[in-house]
Amino acid sequence: MTVGDFKAHFSSVLEEVMQGEEIQILYGRAKKPVARFTKYTESSKRKKRPLGLYNEKASYWEDENFEFTPETLFNDMNDLM
């Protein structure tokens, strides 16, 4: 479905999606796919993921005098180059 058709028939497209239809939106003369609309389900929600491989398995501490400045960052980056 082109963007123009989607805009012109938005309500009916939503009805189709609620019925379980998947709608793909095409853009431009080449009709390149740019979006896909599907019915929302509880399983569509993002699940919480751990922040890292060792989340809740490792810990760290930070010295109370630790200060991270742009100079520190850039000096460390220069060491890598």
Side-chain angles (χ1 to χ4, degrees):
M1 167 176 288
T2 64
V3 173
D5 289 340
F6 176 70
K7 287 169 53 176
H9 301 50
F10 184 74
S11 295
S12 61
V13 169
L14 286 181
E15 288 295 326
E16 290 179 41
V17 169
M18 291 189 313
Q19 297 295 323
E21 187 75 27
E22 182 176 289
I23 306 292
Q24 190 171 33
I25 306 301
L26 309 173
Y27 181 75
R29 289 184 183 167
K31 295 187 178 172
K32 180 180 176 184
V34 294
R36 183 181 311 138
F37 289 90
T38 59
K39 185 176 181 179
Y40 176 84
T41 62
E42 287 299 317
S43 64
S44 311
K45 285 184 180 178
R46 289 189 171 211
K47 295 179 179 140
K48 288 187 177 181
R49 296 184 301 177
L51 294 176
L53 182 62
Y54 293 104
N55 188 36
E56 297 183 9
K57 295 179 183 174
S59 62
Y60 73 96
W61 61 272
E62 197 174 277
D63 187 271
E64 62 187 43
N65 296 322
F66 177 77
E67 185 176 45
F68 193 74
T69 63
E71 292 80 19
T72 306
L73 174 65
F74 294 123
N75 286 337
D76 289 347
M77 287 178 63
N78 289 331
D79 292 343
L80 297 173
M81 294 182 179

